[in-house]
Amino acid sequence: MQQRQLSPGADAASLKRGKKRGNYNCGRCGLPKKGHNCNVTVDPTDPVPTPSWPRQAQLDYNQSSPSGHHHHLRRALSFDDDGAVDHVAPISDDESGSCGPLPWSCLVEVFRRAGPTSLLSAAQVCRGWRDCAKRLWRSVDELRLPVPPRSRLGSVGSLLQKCTGLLRLTLRMESDLDATLLACIAFSCPNLESLNIRTAENAISWMSGDELGRFVAEKRCLSTLKIEGCTNLGSLNICSSSLSTLWLSDLHSISRTVINCPKLKELSLEFSHQENDSTDLVMMVDNFGRTCPRLRNMHIASVRLSHDVVLSLAQAHLRDLRMLSLVLGAEITDASVAAIASSYTNLELLDLSGSSISDSGIGMICNVFPQTLSRLSLAHCPNITSSGIQFATAQLPHLQLIDCGMTIIDPSAEDLTAEQDSSSGEPNYEERVTKTKHHPMYQKLIIKHGRLRKLSLWGCSGLDALCLNCPELNDLNLNSCTNLHPARLLLHCPSLENVYAVGCGDVLIGAIHNQIFNDFMSETDHFPRKRLADGSKRVLVPCFPSRQTSDDEKGRRALQSRCTINVN
């Protein structure tokens, strides 16, 4: 056996250290030990270099569990670049020891920046690295994992089994989804509290409603369930004593619905936009009052929403309801608004986008919710005019967000769109709306509000003049406002941060830029005029030799400089 040539400055204690099983590389230069004579001198005072690893995953060492338990060593592992975590508490050397010449705390900092593939490969290097990787996997609290196409279910299951303390799981499915994956999650994650499954466009979900119901019944700790692509459920039979949030999307033709969740507070059901949907929404909504009495937020998106569904919802008497969203209901009229207003007087959010309500319905909303409503969405409601929008902003003092996209529409552009849709053979959305009123083509909108923060007027091609006096407004959407006259635009909004002007002309974009950046400066640089001693003429005279700028004006100018106009 060959003898190594050692330098006289080498540490004698490190030389006498016994060999560890599985350590097949040299501890000085990193080369394989077999047939290798190392001539590298190791100085214990030199710092250990940290290798550069790809930043594909981030690990949080100080994130507490949302369930209220004191898990001081819980971590959150993210496999997404944008899934950054907030707090990092390094592990001390006294608590964790070391792995060869590299302290354990440094090794942990390296591993927490490695992706799942790199972390699995690093665990095969030596026993010390394997123990460090195991400790990281066991302490994972949150996991966001992409599942690529044609991936094996066994690899996902083996990865989940490493995370024995997993509480929150997010899967981005690019492959088909079936009940086998749910069984794997139920077996590998016994303490799971939150499950979020997102599906790509080409992924298909084959699980049925009974299989989903069995999964929810077995998970006694599950509080949040969000699943996309539920096209083949067929029925809903969800009974849980711990579930508080339920989101299901892409539903279609649900024959039987049983949602018995006494602690459910947030419910979101989005149906596919197919005309042959046979779901009985009246019977579904009627059961919510008996089986889900604590509902606070409800969102239903379906083309089968009608006045009968709203009446059934009004009879459910959900006393804690604060946010109501009924989207794509072309048969929802002003009578439906009256039924909602008579049963639920404490709404903070109301979304009736895609309905057939008119300015009279807006008047009912303003009469019932003047002190509670803070967010109102009336997008794609063709029977609403600029007068109704002005009335809503004037009568709702606590309003912070209003979305009126595609309400003030140019009739000529609407007719052109209808011709294009009929020529292409696709069903036009306006054909399902009840008979709309023909409003004047050019309308003006004047809004003065002290608390409004977000205003959306996207697609309002019939808007000709706009005047805004909103000191707290920071987000304005003017996309596709093609007929808005630049000379009839007035923006007195010193807190604006984002203005969206996609599809607008260059002249209008220039007018928006001048309104935001130049007008305010011209107002602040105004000086009084004073006559000369002989009384011949008036000249500009500043009040002080050098005009002093107040702190308030400096702050307003700083806000103006941060405003961004998005045109792409």
Side-chain angles (χ1 to χ4, degrees):
M1 184 175 182
Q2 298 179 355
Q3 299 293 332
R4 299 179 181 176
Q5 297 179 3
L6 304 176
S7 61
D11 190 358
S14 61
L15 298 179
K16 295 180 181 180
R17 187 169 48 215
K19 176 183 177 182
K20 295 182 180 180
R21 292 183 59 85
N23 191 4
Y24 301 105
N25 293 338
C26 180
R28 298 176 181 83
C29 61
L31 297 177
K33 290 182 178 180
K34 185 175 181 180
H36 169 64
N37 293 327
C38 184
N39 298 322
V40 178
T41 302
V42 178
D43 190 354
T45 61
D46 293 340
V48 180
T50 302
S52 176
W53 293 69
R55 189 178 180 84
Q56 298 178 359
Q58 297 183 355
L59 194 59
D60 180 31
Y61 302 101
N62 195 26
Q63 180 164 343
S64 59
S65 174
S67 60
H69 304 289
H70 299 282
H71 299 290
H72 298 287
L73 298 179
R74 288 298 181 194
R75 285 105 173 169
L77 186 63
S78 171
F79 291 159
D80 297 332
D81 293 338
D82 55 349
V85 291
D86 301 329
H87 309 288
V88 175
I91 300 178
S92 63
D93 295 341
D94 297 336
E95 177 185 356
S96 304
S98 62
C99 181
L102 187 64
W104 203 313
S105 58
C106 297
L107 187 63
V108 166
E109 287 297 323
V110 173
F111 282 179
R112 64 175 287 269
R113 289 169 171 83
T117 305
S118 301
L119 190 58
L120 293 174
S121 301
Q124 302 176 3
V125 174
C126 63
R127 184 175 61 182
W129 286 27
R130 182 171 65 251
D131 295 341
C132 182
K134 285 183 178 180
R135 180 168 183 175
L136 292 181
W137 287 119
R138 286 196 302 265
S139 57
V140 167
D141 181 59
E142 180 178 0
L143 182 65
R144 292 190 286 270
L145 179 66
V147 181
R150 300 179 181 179
S151 62
R152 297 181 180 179
L153 184 61
S155 59
V156 179
S158 61
L159 186 61
L160 293 179
Q161 290 180 5
K162 298 178 183 293
C163 310
T164 57
L166 191 64
L167 298 179
R168 296 178 297 276
L169 175 62
T170 300
L171 298 177
R172 188 171 68 250
M173 302 296 300
E174 299 179 5
S175 60
D176 293 349
L177 171 66
D178 55 8
T180 309
L181 179 62
L182 294 180
C184 179
I185 295 174
F187 176 77
S188 304
C189 309
N191 300 322
L192 193 66
E193 296 180 358
S194 175
L195 176 61
N196 187 356
I197 300 179
R198 303 174 182 177
T199 57
E201 296 182 357
N202 55 350
I204 302 176
S205 176
W206 299 103
M207 62 179 178
S208 63
D210 296 335
E211 295 169 344
L212 180 61
R214 285 194 298 268
F215 171 78
V216 175
E218 293 175 358
K219 307 303 294 182
R220 302 291 180 87
C221 301
L222 191 66
S223 61
T224 301
L225 179 62
K226 301 179 181 180
I227 301 180
E228 295 180 355
C230 303
T231 54
N232 297 315
L233 287 185
S235 62
L236 286 178
N237 187 9
I238 298 177
C239 301
S240 174
S241 59
S242 61
L243 198 64
S244 62
T245 301
L246 177 61
W247 290 12
L248 300 176
S249 64
D250 300 326
L251 297 171
H252 179 70
S253 298
I254 303 299
S255 59
R256 179 174 56 89
T257 303
V258 177
I259 301 179
N260 188 3
C261 303
K263 294 185 179 180
L264 192 65
K265 294 183 179 180
E266 185 172 353
L267 177 64
S268 176
L269 302 176
E270 293 189 1
F271 292 81
S272 59
H273 299 173
Q274 302 179 13
E275 297 291 343
N276 58 350
D277 188 8
S278 60
T279 305
D280 189 357
L281 294 179
V282 177
M283 187 66 66
M284 176 184 296
V285 172
D286 183 61
N287 295 329
F288 291 158
R290 297 188 299 269
T291 59
C292 308
R294 297 185 181 181
L295 268 180
R296 290 181 58 88
N297 307 334
M298 178 184 295
H299 169 73
I300 299 178
S302 174
V303 295
R304 294 185 58 84
L305 282 172
S306 61
H307 180 61
D308 295 335
V309 177
V310 176
L311 291 179
S312 179
L313 177 62
Q315 296 174 2
H317 297 295
L318 299 172
R319 299 178 181 179
D320 297 334
L321 194 63
R322 295 295 180 269
M323 298 183 181
L324 179 61
S325 175
L326 303 177
V327 182
L328 301 179
E331 298 181 7
I332 295 178
T333 59
D334 295 339
S336 306
V337 177
I340 295 173
S342 62
S343 301
Y344 305 105
T345 59
N346 297 322
L347 291 181
E348 300 174 2
L349 180 146
L350 182 59
D351 188 355
L352 298 177
S353 299
S355 63
S356 300
I357 69 171
S358 62
D359 294 346
S360 301
I362 294 181
M364 299 178 192
I365 295 173
C366 297
N367 293 333
V368 178
F369 312 109
Q371 301 299 326
T372 60
L373 198 64
S374 61
R375 284 171 284 181
L376 179 62
S377 181
L378 301 172
H380 222 305
C381 298
N383 292 336
I384 294 178
T385 64
S386 59
S387 301
I389 300 174
Q390 290 182 185
F391 186 78
T393 55
Q395 299 297 322
L396 299 174
H398 299 280
L399 198 63
Q400 297 183 4
L401 180 148
I402 182 170
D403 185 2
C404 305
M406 294 295 292
T407 53
I408 308 173
I409 306 176
D410 183 4
S412 59
E414 186 178 359
D415 296 340
L416 180 60
T417 304
E419 293 178 359
Q420 293 176 353
D421 292 339
S422 60
S423 61
S424 61
E426 298 179 356
N428 186 15
Y429 178 80
E430 281 75 10
E431 294 178 358
R432 293 185 283 104
V433 182
T434 56
K435 186 177 181 180
T436 59
K437 302 177 182 178
H438 294 283
H439 304 295
M441 175 179 175
Y442 300 111
Q443 302 182 44
K444 61 181 180 180
L445 182 60
I446 302 174
I447 297 178
K448 182 179 180 181
H449 202 283
R451 295 188 178 182
L452 191 64
R453 300 180 61 86
K454 293 186 179 182
L455 174 62
S456 180
L457 299 172
W458 59 276
C460 292
S461 58
L463 188 63
D464 177 61
L466 178 63
C467 178
L468 300 179
N469 186 0
C470 305
E472 298 295 330
L473 189 68
N474 57 22
D475 194 290
L476 176 62
N477 192 337
L478 298 177
N479 290 340
S480 301
C481 292
T482 54
N483 291 325
L484 183 59
H485 201 282
R488 299 177 183 177
L489 176 66
L490 179 59
L491 302 177
H492 188 70
C493 308
S495 301
L496 269 178
E497 297 180 2
N498 293 292
V499 178
Y500 301 91
V502 179
C504 299
D506 295 338
V507 179
L508 179 58
I509 295 174
I512 295 174
H513 185 276
N514 295 332
Q515 287 281 330
I516 295 175
F517 295 100
N518 297 336
D519 288 355
F520 178 76
M521 299 300 295
S522 62
E523 291 179 3
T524 55
D525 292 337
H526 174 72
F527 296 108
R529 292 177 177 269
K530 185 178 181 180
R531 288 187 179 276
L532 295 178
D534 57 356
S536 58
K537 61 180 180 179
R538 299 173 66 90
V539 295
L540 294 176
V541 178
C543 299
F544 304 98
S546 61
R547 186 174 182 274
Q548 303 294 329
T549 303
S550 62
D551 295 339
D552 188 17
E553 291 180 355
K554 291 181 180 179
R556 294 173 66 186
R557 290 188 183 185
L559 289 175
Q560 289 289 336
S561 62
R562 291 200 302 264
C563 184
T564 303
I565 301 177
N566 302 280
V567 296
N568 295 322

